[in-house]
């Protein structure tokens, strides 16, 4: 019996089931239940129940099946039930069914025994993963790979090797070794090829995101024809994550929407919670922070059934970033601490490094310089050890934030030639990003550099980066969703779309989406609370009727620098003049008493 069937083979099995009777029908039922475990798990459960009723009737009638056949059917039905229970996060039931499956091993024929043992190890690995037992999961994958390679079944050998390589590439711990078999890929058809493509893609996610996205999408296409729904959802979301690394929001949103729709059809809570998390993530990138927070809380509600692990850690980390974007830095740090602890326990080093970088930015915003540097230092060690090139960009941005908020307390970095450490690290981020194929400088980073140069009173550089930021914003189609229906899907308004489809008028326009911002708001973030220190000083002097020349003399900067900051100040206060800015600031309580 194959581990996976393509759609055409499944159609043949369906016809065989319709035509079969007696013992042949019982065997077809068990095989169909196994191959529907991901395609249609609820129907698979019905077939399992029918098979068990027929077995019980035969036993009661004194017509038991031959022991090898009874063992084979019992093992297949129990393994299918165990894997389905894993998908629905009924982990006690999954453990019970796996024990039943293993009890059947001794009754199998020699020909069936080899592949059956491998299948048991693969299901155990899935169960251990769902239970958050990382060491047990990796040990099960080692066993599965060795047993399947020795079985002579090319499909199982290829799948086991691909799963093992994928999981080991995520951890890459010093005390873990790569899977035992390495070298040329094992032949095994589309299912095995899909897993091996994913195994190639995982290490590239933070090194060559564009290449990783292409590999994930090729893997998804192969797996779709094999009915591997969970796999398709996961790799499609990973492709979306790779597009996000490159700032391509259109492709990312498309991937996340496809994954969310497929996950909803499965009814599996953890997969649905994971896809909801991704939707919350892209909404944050669109600047829809309140909606992102709502979606992420819904995702965590779906994930309540799951034990602590990387899935919950992912949802927590995204919620932390959204809280930070909403200006709730202390709450963000607390939630991110939880995510980091979960990733550390799961030995998920790539995610641990990513979230340490993000935590460094949040701590910097709170003025916790020592904690920020500690998080950045641990992240840097992981980045250097495992070659997470794309993540080195975010690390440099985080260090720019650390020095912006605590620069007076910190020595300049070695080899610094820029006027400030903030500029040094922001330009380092830009240079590192440019070395990554497919990477585009985000307007937010260019605007950040423009503001930093203006703070240093270097207006030629400031205007140069401001022009680049404007061009990046105008040319960056990836920063806007081309199809507004995609936004409606992301927000879960499918019923609205269906209702509007029959109407002659178009759906009402959405609120304009704002450009994505980095996880920790920089000085150009929207909202009066995000004024830079220099803008705050200028606002106070403006309220005292100082002219531009008098402000420049009071602050020791040039008149051009004052004009630069006034432009940013007007934008943040939505003001059209000096008097309007002061009035708005007083209304918002932003001026000191007496100003």
């Amino acid at each position: 019996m194959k581990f996976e069937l393509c759609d055409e083979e499944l159609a043949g099995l369906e016809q065989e089931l319709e035509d079969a009777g007696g013992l042949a029908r019982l065997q077809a039922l068990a095989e169909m239940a196994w191959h529907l475990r991901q395609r249609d798990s609820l129907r698979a459960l019905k077939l399992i129940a029918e098979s068990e009723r027929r077995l019980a009737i035969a036993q009661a009638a004194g017509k038991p099946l031959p022991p090898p056949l009874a063992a084979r059917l019992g093992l297949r039905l129990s393994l299918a039930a165990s894997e389905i229970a894993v998908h629905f996060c009924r982990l006690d039931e999954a453990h019970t069914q796996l024990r039943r499956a293993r009890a059947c091993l001794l009754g199998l024929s020699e020909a069936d025994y080899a592949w059956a043992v491998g299948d048991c190890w693969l299901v155990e690995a899935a169960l251990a993963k769902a239970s958050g037992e990382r060491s047990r999961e990796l040990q099960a994958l080692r066993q599965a790979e060795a047993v399947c390679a020795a079985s002579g079944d090319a499909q199982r050998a290829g799948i086991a090797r691909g799963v093992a390589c994928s999981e080991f590439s995520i951890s890459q711990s010093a005390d873990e070794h790569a899977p035992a078999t390495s070298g040329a890929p094992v032949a095994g058809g589309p299912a095995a090829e899909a897993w091996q493509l994913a195994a190639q893609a995982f290490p590239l996610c933070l090194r060559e995101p564009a290449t990783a996205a292409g590999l994930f999408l090729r893997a998804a296409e192969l797996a779709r024809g094999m009915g591997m729904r969970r796999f398709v959802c996961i790799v499609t979301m990973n492709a979306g994550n790779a597009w996000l690394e490159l700032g391509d929001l259109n492709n990312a949103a498309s991937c996340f929407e496809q994954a969310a729709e497929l996950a909803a059809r499965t009814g599996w809570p953890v997969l649905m919670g994971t896809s909801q998390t991704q939707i919350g993530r892209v909404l944050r990138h669109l600047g829809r922070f309140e909606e992102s927070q709502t979606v992420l809380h819904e995702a965590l509600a779906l994930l309540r059934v799951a034990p602590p692990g990387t899935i919950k850690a992912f949802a927590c980390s995204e919620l932390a970033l959204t809280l930070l974007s909403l200006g709730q830095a202390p709450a963000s740090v607390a939630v991110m601490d939880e995510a980091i602890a979960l990733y550390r326990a799961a030995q998920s080093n790539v995610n641990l490094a990513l979230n340490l970088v993000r935590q460094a930015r949040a701590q910097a915003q709170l003025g916790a310089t020592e904690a920020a540097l500690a998080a950045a230092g641990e992240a840097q060690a992981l980045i250097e050890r495992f070659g997470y090139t794309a993540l080195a960009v975010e690390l440099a941005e985080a260090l720019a934030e650390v020095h912006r908020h605590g620069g007076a307390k910190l020595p300049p970095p070695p080899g610094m030639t820029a006027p400030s450490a903030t500029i040094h690290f922001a330009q380092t981020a830009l240079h590192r990003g440019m070395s990554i194929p497919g990477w585009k400088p985000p307007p937010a980073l260019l605007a950040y550099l423009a503001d930093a140069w203006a703070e240093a009173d270097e207006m030629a550089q400031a205007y140069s980066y401001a022009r680049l930021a404007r061009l990046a914003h105008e040319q960056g189609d990836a920063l806007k969703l081309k199809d507004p229906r995609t936004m409606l899907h992301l927000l879960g308004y499918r019923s609205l779309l269906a209702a509007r489809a029959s109407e002659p008028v178009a759906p009402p326009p959405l609120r304009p989406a704002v450009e994505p911002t980095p996880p920790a708001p920089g000085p150009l973030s929207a909202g009066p609370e995000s004024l830079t220190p220099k803008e705050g000083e200028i606002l106070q002097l403006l309220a005292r009727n100082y002219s531009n020349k008098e402000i420049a003399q009071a602050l020791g900067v040039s008149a051009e620098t004052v004009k630069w900051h006034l432009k940013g100040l007007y934008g943040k206060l939505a003001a059209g003049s000096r008097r309007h800015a002061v009035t708005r600031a007083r209304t918002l309580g932003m001026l000191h008493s007496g100003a």
Side-chain angles (χ1 to χ4, degrees), residues 242-467:
W243 289 124
L244 273 186
E245 286 293 328
L246 296 169
D248 191 337
L249 203 56
N250 276 305
N251 276 322
S254 176
C255 289
F256 294 148
E257 183 193 359
Q258 291 175 42
E261 290 181 349
L262 183 56
R265 290 202 295 270
T266 68
W268 302 337
V270 172
L271 196 61
M272 292 169 66
T274 305
S275 65
Q276 279 279 85
T277 302
Q278 297 284 19
I279 297 299
R281 184 183 188 202
V282 78
L283 287 171
R284 175 174 55 80
H285 278 267
L286 286 167
R288 311 288 284 249
F289 303 131
E290 291 82 4
E291 289 150 330
S292 171
Q293 185 179 16
T294 299
V295 169
L296 290 168
H297 280 302
E298 291 171 356
L300 283 165
L302 285 166
L303 294 172
R304 283 195 193 115
V305 297
T310 56
I311 303 298
K312 282 188 175 177
F314 176 48
C316 286
S317 68
E318 290 304 316
L319 178 58
L321 293 176
T322 295
L323 291 171
L324 191 63
S325 298
L326 286 167
Q328 301 175 30
S332 171
V333 167
V335 175
M336 187 63 84
D337 276 340
E338 183 179 353
I340 288 171
L342 290 169
Y343 280 131
R344 202 187 300 280
Q347 305 170 37
S348 183
N349 288 318
V350 60
N351 289 306
L352 176 59
L354 177 62
N355 286 280
L356 284 166
V357 170
R358 292 169 172 175
Q359 188 72 319
R361 297 190 73 153
Q363 294 280 18
Q365 186 173 335
L366 285 173
T369 305
E370 291 186 8
L373 287 174
E378 186 179 355
Q380 184 166 4
L382 291 167
I383 290 167
E384 291 174 353
R385 181 178 177 187
F386 299 120
Y388 300 144
T389 310
L391 189 50
V393 177
E394 287 197 45
L395 176 63
E397 291 184 81
L399 288 170
E401 281 292 284
V402 173
H403 281 267
R404 182 170 78 89
H405 290 281
K409 311 172 189 175
L410 300 172
M416 185 182 89
T417 57
S420 69
T422 299
I423 294 174
H424 169 85
F425 284 112
Q427 290 197 155
T428 298
L430 183 62
H431 295 153
R432 286 175 177 174
M434 296 301 291
S435 68
I436 299 172
W439 188 85
K440 301 173 186 175
L445 176 58
L446 296 169
Y448 187 92
L449 273 163
D451 218 46
W453 279 106
E455 288 285 342
D457 207 15
E458 295 280 353
M459 300 313 300
Q461 289 280 17
Y463 283 123
S464 175
Y465 277 111
R467 284 194 296 272

Side-chain angles (χ1 to χ4, degrees), residues 95 145 210 215 247 271 404 443 487 554 557 589:
H95 277 289
E145 189 182 15
L215 291 170
L271 196 61
R404 182 170 78 89
M487 172 63 84
V557 298

Side-chain angles (χ1 to χ4, degrees), residues 120-185:
C120 286
W121 282 118
L122 285 170
V123 172
E124 177 164 340
L127 175 53
K129 185 178 185 69
S131 303
E133 301 175 67
R134 185 62 168 168
S135 297
R136 177 187 169 199
E137 177 195 357
L138 296 176
Q139 180 59 33
L141 288 175
R142 290 188 185 96
Q143 295 288 348
E145 189 182 15
V147 170
C148 290
S151 71
D153 186 315
Q155 186 192 64
R156 282 180 169 82
I159 289 172
R161 181 173 183 271
V163 178
C165 287
S166 296
E167 292 297 339
F168 277 85
S169 70
I170 293 170
S171 284
Q172 296 179 299
S173 300
D175 58 344
E176 292 170 355
H177 304 288
T181 57
S182 57

